[in-house]
Amino acid sequence: MVETVTLSDGHTMPSIGLGVYLNEECAEACRVALQNGYRMIDGARYYENEVQVGVGVGKSGVKREDIFITSKVFHEDFTYDGTTAALKDSIANLGSCKSYLPNNLYGLQDSAIGGKDARLAAYRALLDGKANGMIKSVGVSNYSAKHIEEIREAGLDMPVVNQIELHPFCQQKPIVDYCKKNNIIVQAYSPLVRGAFDNQVIQELSTKYSKDPAQILVRWSLQRGFVPLPKSSQPERIISNGQVFGWEIEPTDMAKLDALDRGKDGAVTWNPVDVD
């Protein structure tokens, strides 16, 4: 299952990852995912389960250097010192598996909330963290084009990833187009629309391809060039969500899913991409 995408800094990233937001059984979920082909865990210090991520990684038996973990800095820590402290805390939390660090740890800014000066201060701290060997790559989350342009205008290295809400009902096309033009990988959180599978198109394609609705949604994301981050605490769902390779959705059916886009009205999360 381990297909990868190449980031603009030359590193590679798995093309699918396990999300662990609000996952109360995170250690077990991480273990199951890693033992069944996943190689990326999408976490955050704000989720308050990074210790469990470290435990799950340790129990998986998978080599540390083969695992990619994403952590995020929340906007409440958006100062240079605050971000540096948050990064060190995440590293300590993830080190609970005794040896994980800092190979393949990615740092993201969680949102653009806080204002330009705060965003840039936090971003500089993450870049310095990379330069000091604390993390491997630097990206952002919930950033619009204008927020990323601030980084460019400041003369800083561009982010390698922008993680945003993405699924057929909320396709965020302007941000996606901007990221593609600037060689920024787009990660898709909430790719399963938080389990809202009752749409007729999704149901019809599920039947046609003999795949469950979640697999249809994850596959749509992959074929659109995104890196989906499906979330579940149920072992059987974690495994099936990753069984999305070796088959494709036909172009006419992709068009049907594309037509479900409702813009901002289709969002199922906070989606704060338009903040100043």
Side-chain angles (χ1 to χ4, degrees):
M1 190 182 89
V2 188
E3 295 187 6
T4 61
V5 296
T6 301
L7 305 176
S8 61
D9 63 5
H11 296 306
T12 57
M13 171 181 285
S15 60
I16 186 173
L18 175 72
V20 297
Y21 178 54
L22 294 179
N23 191 334
E24 297 180 356
E25 300 174 13
C26 178
E28 180 63 8
C30 292
R31 182 193 67 78
V32 169
L34 293 169
Q35 290 181 343
N36 286 277
Y38 289 75
R39 289 297 179 268
M40 178 161 58
I41 307 297
D42 180 69
R45 179 169 170 267
Y46 173 71
Y47 300 168
E48 298 184 344
N49 58 7
E50 286 185 322
V51 170
Q52 291 187 54
V53 171
V55 171
V57 168
K59 290 183 176 180
S60 72
V62 177
K63 293 180 180 179
R64 305 298 183 268
E65 61 267 25
D66 293 337
I67 302 171
F68 293 70
I69 294 182
T70 300
S71 187
K72 306 180 193 73
V73 178
F74 199 52
H75 63 267
E76 293 177 354
D77 294 314
F78 277 13
T79 64
Y80 185 93
D81 290 342
T83 296
T84 300
L87 181 56
K88 291 179 178 178
D89 191 50
S90 286
I91 289 173
N93 291 336
L94 293 166
S96 60
C97 64
K98 296 185 179 179
S99 64
Y100 188 85
L101 265 207
N103 289 346
N104 301 338
L105 177 63
Y106 291 77
L108 302 184
Q109 286 181 260
D110 186 67
S111 74
I113 294 173
K116 178 179 178 179
D117 291 344
R119 287 191 290 268
L120 289 176
Y123 193 79
R124 286 189 174 96
L126 287 176
L127 289 177
D128 285 350
K130 177 185 176 183
N132 293 331
M134 298 171 70
I135 54 177
K136 194 166 185 176
S137 295
V138 176
V140 295
S141 181
N142 295 307
Y143 266 45
S144 68
K146 68 179 181 181
H147 303 126
I148 300 176
E149 279 299 303
E150 292 173 355
I151 294 171
R152 187 199 302 277
E153 292 167 1
L156 303 175
D157 291 344
M158 292 284 274
V160 299
V161 164
N162 187 15
Q163 185 182 128
I164 57 177
E165 178 179 344
L166 274 176
H167 45 76
F169 304 101
C170 181
Q171 296 179 33
Q172 310 227 55
K173 293 177 182 178
I175 301 176
V176 169
D177 290 344
Y178 173 88
C179 288
K180 287 184 176 179
K181 289 177 182 177
N182 288 277
N183 198 22
I184 298 170
I185 295 295
V186 178
Q187 287 186 318
Y189 72 75
S190 296
L192 305 184
V193 205
R194 292 191 169 176
F197 300 150
D198 57 351
N199 177 269
Q200 182 177 351
V201 172
I202 295 173
Q203 289 294 324
E204 288 177 353
L205 296 184
S206 176
T207 299
K208 175 178 179 177
Y209 291 94
S210 298
K211 303 293 182 182
D212 62 46
Q215 291 173 319
I216 294 294
L217 289 168
V218 174
R219 186 66 214 176
W220 174 86
S221 191
L222 287 169
Q223 288 184 219
R224 278 286 163 259
F226 310 143
V227 174
L229 305 167
K231 181 172 72 72
S232 181
S233 61
Q234 301 175 36
E236 65 277 9
R237 301 306 306 163
I238 293 170
I239 294 170
S240 65
N241 288 346
Q243 295 173 336
V244 289
F245 299 97
W247 59 280
E248 289 190 352
I249 300 172
E250 296 173 1
T252 54
D253 293 329
M254 286 293 290
K256 292 178 182 178
L257 291 168
D258 291 344
L260 298 178
D261 191 20
R262 295 167 50 202
K264 295 178 183 178
D265 291 338
V268 296
T269 68
W270 66 325
N271 193 32
V273 294
D274 292 327
V275 299
D276 292 329

